[in-house]
Short mmCIF file of all heavy atoms in Angstrom, two decimals:
data_model
loop_
_atom_site.label_atom_id
_atom_site.label_comp_id
_atom_site.label_asym_id
_atom_site.label_seq_id
_atom_site.Cartn_x
_atom_site.Cartn_y
_atom_site.Cartn_z
N ARG A 325 111.66 81.09 158.54
CA ARG A 325 111.56 82.47 158.97
C ARG A 325 110.11 82.92 158.88
O ARG A 325 109.34 82.45 158.06
CB ARG A 325 112.43 83.35 158.09
CG ARG A 325 113.91 83.11 158.27
CD ARG A 325 114.71 84.14 157.51
NE ARG A 325 116.12 84.07 157.87
CZ ARG A 325 117.03 83.43 157.12
NH1 ARG A 325 116.67 82.84 156.00
NH2 ARG A 325 118.28 83.41 157.51
N LEU A 326 109.77 83.89 159.72
CA LEU A 326 108.39 84.39 159.70
C LEU A 326 108.13 85.25 158.48
O LEU A 326 107.10 85.14 157.83
CB LEU A 326 108.13 85.22 160.96
CG LEU A 326 107.85 84.45 162.23
CD1 LEU A 326 107.69 85.42 163.39
CD2 LEU A 326 106.58 83.63 162.06
N GLY A 327 109.06 86.14 158.17
CA GLY A 327 108.88 87.02 157.03
C GLY A 327 109.14 86.26 155.75
O GLY A 327 110.14 85.57 155.62
N GLN A 328 108.24 86.36 154.81
CA GLN A 328 108.39 85.62 153.57
C GLN A 328 108.34 86.58 152.39
O GLN A 328 107.46 87.45 152.31
CB GLN A 328 107.26 84.58 153.45
CG GLN A 328 107.35 83.48 154.50
CD GLN A 328 108.50 82.52 154.24
OE1 GLN A 328 108.78 82.15 153.11
NE2 GLN A 328 109.19 82.14 155.31
N ALA A 329 109.26 86.37 151.47
CA ALA A 329 109.32 87.25 150.30
C ALA A 329 108.07 87.14 149.45
O ALA A 329 107.70 88.06 148.74
CB ALA A 329 110.56 86.92 149.48
N VAL A 330 107.40 85.99 149.57
CA VAL A 330 106.22 85.78 148.74
C VAL A 330 105.14 86.83 149.03
O VAL A 330 104.32 87.15 148.17
CB VAL A 330 105.67 84.34 148.94
CG1 VAL A 330 105.10 84.17 150.33
CG2 VAL A 330 104.63 84.01 147.91
N LEU A 331 105.18 87.41 150.22
CA LEU A 331 104.21 88.45 150.55
C LEU A 331 104.29 89.60 149.55
O LEU A 331 103.27 90.13 149.09
CB LEU A 331 104.46 88.96 151.98
CG LEU A 331 103.55 90.08 152.47
CD1 LEU A 331 102.10 89.64 152.55
CD2 LEU A 331 104.00 90.57 153.84
N SER A 332 105.48 89.98 149.19
CA SER A 332 105.65 91.06 148.21
C SER A 332 105.10 90.66 146.86
O SER A 332 104.42 91.43 146.19
CB SER A 332 107.13 91.42 148.07
OG SER A 332 107.67 91.78 149.31
N ASP A 333 105.41 89.44 146.44
CA ASP A 333 104.91 88.96 145.14
C ASP A 333 103.39 88.97 145.11
O ASP A 333 102.76 89.39 144.14
CB ASP A 333 105.39 87.53 144.87
CG ASP A 333 106.91 87.45 144.79
OD1 ASP A 333 107.53 88.50 144.55
OD2 ASP A 333 107.46 86.35 144.99
N VAL A 334 102.80 88.50 146.20
CA VAL A 334 101.35 88.37 146.28
C VAL A 334 100.69 89.73 146.20
O VAL A 334 99.73 89.95 145.46
CB VAL A 334 100.96 87.65 147.59
CG1 VAL A 334 99.50 87.80 147.89
CG2 VAL A 334 101.35 86.18 147.50
N LEU A 335 101.25 90.68 146.94
CA LEU A 335 100.67 92.02 146.91
C LEU A 335 100.81 92.65 145.53
O LEU A 335 99.90 93.31 145.04
CB LEU A 335 101.35 92.91 147.95
CG LEU A 335 100.89 92.70 149.39
CD1 LEU A 335 101.82 93.40 150.35
CD2 LEU A 335 99.47 93.19 149.58
N GLN A 336 101.96 92.42 144.92
CA GLN A 336 102.16 93.01 143.61
C GLN A 336 101.16 92.45 142.60
O GLN A 336 100.70 93.14 141.71
CB GLN A 336 103.58 92.73 143.13
CG GLN A 336 103.92 93.56 141.91
CD GLN A 336 105.08 93.03 141.11
OE1 GLN A 336 105.62 91.98 141.42
NE2 GLN A 336 105.45 93.76 140.09
N ALA A 337 100.82 91.19 142.79
CA ALA A 337 99.91 90.54 141.85
C ALA A 337 98.46 90.92 142.12
O ALA A 337 97.57 90.50 141.38
CB ALA A 337 100.08 89.03 141.93
N GLY A 338 98.21 91.68 143.15
CA GLY A 338 96.83 92.06 143.45
C GLY A 338 96.03 90.92 144.03
O GLY A 338 94.80 90.92 143.99
N CYS A 339 96.73 89.94 144.58
CA CYS A 339 96.06 88.83 145.24
C CYS A 339 95.99 89.19 146.73
O CYS A 339 96.87 89.85 147.26
CB CYS A 339 96.90 87.57 145.02
SG CYS A 339 96.13 86.08 145.62
#
Side-chain angles (χ1 to χ4, degrees):
Chain A
R325 292 188 170 99
L326 281 177
Q328 294 288 320
V330 68
L331 178 63
S332 303
D333 298 339
V334 165
L335 282 168
Q336 192 200 4
C339 187

